[in-house]
Amino acid sequence: MVVRIVGLFWKGFTVMYNTYDTPTYPELGNIYPGDYYEALPYDEFIDKNQKLPEGKKVFDIRDFGARPEKNLLNTEAFLKAAAACEKEGGGVILVAGGSYCMGTVYIPSHTTLFIAADSEIKASRNVDLLLAKEKEQIDDRKGESSEGAFVRVKNAEDVTITGGGRINGSGEWYVYEPRELPALVPFETSRLPRRDQAKEINTIPGTLRYYYRQRIRYSEDKYGEGKPNLNRPAALVWVQDSKNVTLDNIILYDSMSWTLHIECCENIIVKNMVIDDNRHVANSDGVDINASDNVLVDHCFISCADDGIVIKNPIRTGRAMTHVHVKRCTVVTVMNAFKIGTETANDISDILVENCTFCMPDIYPGSVSGISLESCDGTNLSDVIIRNITMDKIICPLYICLNKRNRYNEPYTDKVGENRYWGGSIKNIHIENINADNAEVPAILTGYETTRKDGSVVRRPLENITVNSYHVIYRDNKEIIEIPETFDEFLEDYPESNAHGDVDAYGIWARHIDNLVLEDINVVPRSCNTRKAICLYDVNNKN
């Protein structure tokens, strides 16, 4: 068979494609019971009878040569349709009539990508077709080559992705097989690795952390087995440096890494969307919101392998972010359902999360956390309200951590606040009306204390934290608890609720906080519990 290789330019991008889709890693791609959440209620979120928008010119990719044949690449046809749409000043790119395999595609301004309910665009399994580099290969903000994605919206405005169909990432084709298959029955005992096992924290058999990591499919050689690292795209859909973008009534399926990446954008609406990922493909977050303002995520069902809805602001963005609203969402993930962090260098403020359900219905162990708020690289995180959240089989319902991981290697300084060396801050956090069943570890809320080189104390507390109407019931299984004599300050570690080891409270463990308000707290422990409900260390209240 002769394979034709062609180069196509799109507004500064060079896209390579061939005629037939050939997997880069043909031995991969297997699916096992438990990888997908089979009871996902599509009909509650997706309208399969959506009509084409009226009054806009339609550019059907079939008119540009696309054919829904298995493994036939349709990149050229799609990009021709997009170019024609842009030349006309906008319109509708129509995908209908089946499944169309292709490499990276781009959506121009003033365009609606309409994928009909019976149809999909499917990412090639050839990684070279999804790692297209810009002509200007150096990203000014980061100083690194740009990373590929399947669907790109960049430097665009007035873009809509809709129709009731799906964008399929072929995710299993870019990660190694798991060491163990998904667990379909619960584990008898809950146990955390000890802090003195930090260097081996992912490899301690019998711990909650070990259980879920053994089932994750990585693209890296995580276990030192001499395997080469696999190349894979950075995102399924990447919306970057754009404004007035809407994703509405669309399915994102089987992402190869981050599913929806929103970066340095303004006025973004994500609603009536389903994310249905393989829940064991590493790094397949649901919705990642980076350095973007005025973002609404409403009425979405997200089933994924990594953080469900996550807000980050890495150093490369060089800007603060504000006004993110998440509501009426259901999140099923093995990691954190809602999270702020971990890449946190620039400021984040005015976040509202409400009326959501976080759960893990069918595989074990449960989700790592329900709510995680983290600042570890210098971000000042403030004015966060999270309310009316229902959880089930979430291991840790609430986790708030300030530390000085210092990912960006800021130099030491004696003066706190002179640079990001001493971290940022977390303040004005209001958590209200949380109802969680089948929890397994306590909530942890912690700032830190350490010393300068001259021995003087540096105290970095959480500030103005309120937890009101917090009701939790533990899963009544067995537990192994190993409480240390002293509790590590957790200064430079990757913040994660299951990395702290055991503490001497089963309900809420709080440390280094100024003005903590706890009201209407009710946590029901396991029958075998021997710990206190609440322990407070270095908590200074104004009242």
Side-chain angles (χ1 to χ4, degrees):
M1 178 182 70
V2 177
V3 178
R4 182 166 54 98
I5 304 294
V6 181
L8 183 66
F9 291 93
W10 174 270
K11 295 193 71 175
F13 293 83
T14 304
V15 182
M16 301 302 296
Y17 67 89
N18 55 21
T19 305
Y20 295 100
D21 185 42
T22 303
T24 304
Y25 311 109
E27 71 280 9
L28 303 177
N30 293 316
I31 297 173
Y32 303 103
D35 279 338
Y36 288 87
Y37 178 44
E38 296 182 359
L40 199 157
Y42 273 96
D43 292 343
E44 296 179 18
F45 294 84
I46 299 297
D47 177 7
K48 297 180 180 179
N49 299 306
Q50 183 182 354
K51 304 298 183 183
L52 280 168
E54 296 181 357
K56 294 185 176 182
K57 188 170 183 179
V58 175
F59 301 85
D60 189 328
I61 65 172
R62 291 171 293 189
D63 294 337
F64 294 86
R67 302 197 308 275
E69 298 177 12
K70 185 176 181 181
N71 297 333
L72 176 69
L73 285 164
N74 292 279
T75 317
E76 180 182 14
F78 187 102
L79 293 178
K80 284 181 177 179
C85 181
E86 183 179 32
K87 185 176 180 180
E88 291 292 322
V92 178
I93 301 172
L94 175 61
V95 177
S99 176
Y100 298 86
C101 182
M102 55 189 71
T104 298
V105 295
Y106 307 89
I107 315 301
S109 294
H110 313 299
T111 297
T112 295
L113 170 59
F114 191 100
I115 305 175
D118 65 345
S119 301
E120 70 174 3
I121 57 173
K122 185 175 183 179
S124 170
R125 298 165 297 168
N126 183 336
V127 71
D128 291 336
L129 305 184
L130 295 164
L131 293 179
K133 298 293 190 296
E134 300 179 38
K135 275 187 175 180
E136 301 297 331
Q137 288 198 350
I138 300 300
D139 183 330
D140 291 337
R141 293 168 305 180
K142 191 177 179 183
E144 297 178 2
S145 298
S146 23
E147 298 173 296
F150 180 30
V151 176
R152 293 293 304 269
V153 179
K154 184 171 184 181
N155 295 321
E157 60 180 314
D158 182 26
V159 172
T160 298
I161 300 175
T162 189
R166 75 180 187 179
I167 300 172
N168 182 341
S170 305
E172 300 91 3
W173 293 88
Y174 293 101
V175 285
Y176 284 116
E177 290 281 291
R179 301 191 96 186
E180 295 187 21
L181 297 185
L184 307 179
V185 296
F187 298 103
E188 292 185 359
T189 303
S190 293
R191 180 188 177 193
L192 295 174
R194 302 191 309 267
R195 284 294 295 148
D196 61 3
Q197 297 172 318
K199 291 183 179 180
E200 298 83 28
I201 196 169
N202 297 330
T203 59
I204 308 301
T207 63
L208 292 168
R209 191 176 177 96
Y210 177 84
Y211 284 144
Y212 80 79
R213 286 191 172 262
Q214 292 292 301
R215 291 159 175 80
I216 297 297
R217 309 182 191 205
Y218 296 100
S219 61
E220 303 86 11
D221 183 20
K222 285 286 186 178
Y223 302 101
E225 298 170 329
K227 296 179 179 178
N229 291 339
L230 305 180
N231 289 325
R232 60 172 169 167
L236 180 64
V237 178
W238 192 353
V239 183
Q240 184 180 17
D241 297 312
S242 298
K243 60 183 179 180
N244 303 326
V245 177
T246 297
L247 288 89
D248 181 10
N249 195 39
I250 195 71
I251 300 164
L252 307 185
Y253 180 78
D254 194 13
S255 181
M256 63 290 280
S257 191
W258 289 9
T259 308
L260 172 59
H261 183 189
I262 301 165
E263 182 175 29
C264 296
C265 293
E266 296 180 8
N267 304 327
I268 307 296
I269 296 174
V270 180
K271 63 180 182 178
N272 306 317
M273 180 181 72
V274 166
I275 291 178
D276 187 3
D277 285 342
N278 186 320
R279 292 176 295 176
H280 299 97
V281 171
N283 306 113
S284 59
D285 298 0
V287 179
D288 286 82
I289 306 166
N290 285 13
S292 296
D293 297 337
N294 301 315
V295 178
L296 171 65
V297 181
D298 180 19
H299 193 240
C300 298
F301 194 107
I302 298 169
S303 177
C304 60
D306 212 326
D307 303 325
I309 301 171
V310 54
I311 295 171
K312 303 182 182 184
N313 201 350
I315 198 168
R316 70 174 185 270
T317 71
R319 55 180 275 183
M321 65 178 290
T322 189
H323 300 301
V324 176
H325 188 185
V326 177
K327 64 178 182 176
R328 301 191 305 156
C329 291
T330 299
V331 179
V332 174
T333 175
V334 299
M335 282 298 296
N336 309 287
F338 174 78
K339 176 179 173 180
I340 298 177
T342 342
E343 289 76 24
T344 49
N346 300 300
D347 293 352
I348 300 170
S349 65
D350 196 3
I351 310 298
L352 173 60
V353 181
E354 59 182 345
N355 305 322
C356 293
T357 298
F358 304 151
C359 58
M360 177 51 74
D362 58 329
I363 57 176
Y364 299 86
S367 302
V368 169
S369 82
I371 301 164
S372 282
L373 309 179
E374 307 163 3
S375 173
C376 54
D377 304 316
T379 284
N380 295 303
L381 171 62
S382 65
D383 303 304
V384 177
I385 298 173
I386 302 177
R387 63 194 180 198
N388 307 330
I389 308 296
T390 299
M391 304 185 194
D392 188 25
K393 284 177 58 185
I394 304 296
I395 291 174
C396 177
L398 175 61
Y399 176 64
I400 305 177
C401 180
L402 171 67
N403 76 0
K404 54 183 290 294
R405 178 180 67 158
N406 193 19
R407 177 171 184 172
Y408 304 110
N409 299 314
E410 295 280 356
Y412 173 85
T413 172
D414 286 331
K415 185 178 180 181
V416 175
E418 190 172 61
N419 62 22
R420 295 185 176 92
Y421 176 85
W422 296 104
S425 64
I426 298 178
K427 63 183 179 181
N428 304 335
I429 310 297
H430 188 92
I431 311 292
E432 182 176 15
N433 195 22
I434 308 299
N435 291 278
D437 289 334
N438 294 301
E440 300 196 47
V441 301
I444 293 178
L445 290 63
T446 182
Y448 74 84
E449 184 177 278
T450 187
T451 58
R452 297 179 179 85
K453 290 181 178 180
D454 64 7
S456 59
V457 173
V458 173
R459 180 175 179 269
R460 304 288 282 160
L462 309 179
E463 302 175 64
N464 305 329
I465 311 296
T466 297
V467 182
N468 182 24
S469 188
Y470 179 81
H471 301 157
V472 176
I473 300 174
Y474 267 69
R475 187 162 79 92
D476 199 12
N477 60 333
K478 299 176 183 177
E479 64 181 11
I480 296 175
I481 304 295
E482 300 174 274
I483 300 173
E485 293 184 6
T486 59
F487 298 111
D488 194 305
E489 287 289 336
F490 208 76
L491 294 175
E492 298 174 355
D493 294 68
Y494 183 99
E496 202 158 84
S497 60
N498 58 21
H500 286 256
D502 289 311
V503 294
D504 53 348
Y506 68 80
I508 295 177
W509 190 85
R511 177 182 62 175
H512 305 313
I513 303 177
D514 286 350
N515 196 28
L516 171 65
V517 177
L518 301 177
E519 297 180 339
D520 187 17
I521 307 298
N522 182 26
V523 181
V524 179
R526 296 183 179 91
S527 302
C528 61
N529 174 70
T530 58
R531 293 179 288 178
K532 297 178 182 179
I534 298 174
C535 287
L536 308 180
Y537 296 94
D538 184 27
V539 173
N540 301 319
N541 290 336
K542 296 177 182 178
N543 298 329

